[in-house]
Amino acid sequence: MSYIGRFAPSPSGPLHLGSLVAALGSYFQAKSNDGKWLVRIEDLDPPREIPGADSLILKALEAFGLQWDGSVMYQSKRHDAYQAQIDTWLKSGQAYYCQCTRKQIKASGGYYLGTCRDKQIKDSKDCSVRLQVTHYVESFSDLKHGEITIPAPLVNEDFIIKRRDGLFAYNLAVVMDDIEQGITEIVRGADLIEPTGRQISLYKTLNQEPVSYLHLPLVIDSSGNKLSKQNHAKAINTTEPKADLINAMQILGFKLNNDLQEASIEELITWGCKQWGLKQLPKSIEVTS
């Protein structure tokens, strides 16, 4: 099977160092396997999105020498597909409407206990849609970190596939899109380890073979906070990208001598594709920027 990887940012702001690390890691892994590297804009949550951020993201990737294969997929164009699958599950009883609020779930210990599973609620008003989990995933194998155990309460928790506000849930969309695009391996930041069990369960529910996973080190600041758009992480410099590129490559474990630090963006990316290997990655799932 030919390798197909992807980078899937949300347009809630420009790329920062943490997202650059994820982009580079997924790109190097794809190209070192003679594979394709796709880009998908995960515009599922309009209230959090910034107008024009998708264009800024694509221009940033180009500035750093990361050229994607094929056309860019937008999740906002995939709503009909998500809804069709949800309707199929609602009809079969695999999915159901749930009236429980976050406050109620927090009061019951922080995990959903299946309260609405057998209520057969027909009115979707003020309801989320949950998937009845039948494929339990207790652990999965990460290409870098080995066997990772899923917290017990999450293994059999019926999770949301459509939110109370009518927006489609990330777990459903990302799995359906990865299947649609033929993704063979997912390379992403370690902050997304937690939902991996649910996503593998979704693959099995959709009668699809789960993909392999590689979680890259999560970049944190000196205070221990994840670099993120929500935490107002500084945007990468697209007009003079070299310093940020070298920093990101060093976070990924590359040893860059003085000659390489004088190389062009294109030369650094080409060299990185040839030298990339999983053994070079830090053992820790967190790295300070």
Side-chain angles (χ1 to χ4, degrees):
M1 182 186 297
S2 298
Y3 186 105
I4 304 177
R6 50 80 161 168
F7 176 58
S10 60
S12 52
L15 296 183
H16 52 74
L17 181 62
S19 47
L20 178 61
V21 167
L24 284 169
S26 60
Y27 184 88
F28 289 140
Q29 180 72 346
K31 296 308 176 181
S32 67
N33 282 284
D34 297 319
K36 293 181 179 180
W37 186 69
L38 310 183
V39 170
R40 179 171 68 236
I41 300 295
E42 299 199 328
D43 51 346
L44 272 184
D45 196 347
R48 292 181 55 240
E49 293 161 16
I50 295 176
D54 59 325
S55 296
L56 290 176
I57 289 169
L58 297 178
K59 289 177 181 177
L61 294 177
E62 291 176 333
F64 281 83
L66 303 178
Q67 183 56 56
W68 55 91
D69 297 297
S71 57
V72 176
M73 174 184 278
Y74 283 77
Q75 288 187 329
S76 57
K77 307 296 184 184
R78 297 266 296 151
H79 288 184
D80 288 348
Y82 308 147
Q83 188 61 54
Q85 183 60 66
I86 290 172
D87 289 343
T88 297
W89 281 332
L90 284 169
K91 186 175 181 180
S92 70
Q94 183 80 48
Y96 58 91
Y97 293 115
C98 174
Q99 297 172 323
C100 298
T101 64
R102 288 184 181 181
K103 184 177 180 180
Q104 290 171 325
I105 293 170
K106 186 177 181 180
S108 65
Y111 298 99
Y112 176 69
L113 303 178
T115 307
C116 295
R117 186 182 301 151
D118 299 319
K119 287 185 176 180
Q120 297 184 340
I121 299 168
K122 301 300 182 184
D123 187 357
S124 62
K125 185 179 180 181
D126 294 327
C127 287
S128 61
V129 180
R130 290 185 181 269
L131 182 69
Q132 186 167 335
V133 175
T134 53
H135 295 279
Y136 302 126
V137 178
E138 297 180 346
S139 64
F140 71 95
S141 180
D142 182 274
L143 292 173
K144 174 62 182 178
H145 304 289
E147 199 72 9
I148 293 179
T149 301
I150 306 298
L154 295 178
V155 170
N156 61 355
E157 183 183 43
D158 294 348
F159 53 87
I160 291 174
I161 52 177
K162 191 174 185 181
R163 293 165 25 177
R164 293 167 66 91
D165 58 9
L167 298 179
F168 296 100
Y170 166 76
N171 285 318
L172 174 68
V174 72
V175 171
M176 288 188 64
D177 293 344
D178 285 333
I179 292 171
E180 176 68 18
Q181 292 188 291
I183 303 302
T184 59
E185 184 173 278
I186 294 172
V187 181
R188 59 189 182 185
D191 55 322
L192 291 170
I193 286 177
E194 188 272 333
T196 303
R198 294 173 173 179
Q199 292 165 19
I200 294 173
S201 179
L202 270 169
Y203 272 97
K204 295 180 178 180
T205 302
L206 291 164
N207 297 314
Q208 298 288 325
E209 188 68 24
V211 297
S212 55
Y213 291 87
L214 169 62
H215 289 92
L216 301 170
L218 180 65
V219 184
I220 59 176
D221 61 25
S222 57
S223 300
N225 299 313
K226 166 192 168 185
L227 290 191
S228 68
K229 297 161 190 173
Q230 289 76 23
N231 290 334
H232 309 291
K234 180 183 176 182
I236 51 177
N237 189 337
T238 57
T239 56
E240 296 181 9
K242 194 180 205 178
D244 282 333
L245 176 58
I246 289 174
N247 191 6
M249 290 181 70
Q250 289 174 332
I251 288 171
L252 288 168
F254 285 105
K255 307 299 182 185
L256 303 175
N257 59 33
N258 290 335
D259 288 341
L260 282 169
Q261 297 204 24
E262 296 300 321
S264 68
I265 296 293
E266 293 73 17
E267 289 169 338
L268 283 168
I269 294 297
T270 299
W271 179 85
C273 291
K274 293 177 180 178
Q275 300 298 319
W276 172 258
L278 300 188
K279 289 183 179 180
Q280 75 186 47
L281 288 170
K283 292 182 180 180
S284 172
I285 61 171
E286 293 183 350
V287 175
T288 303
S289 62

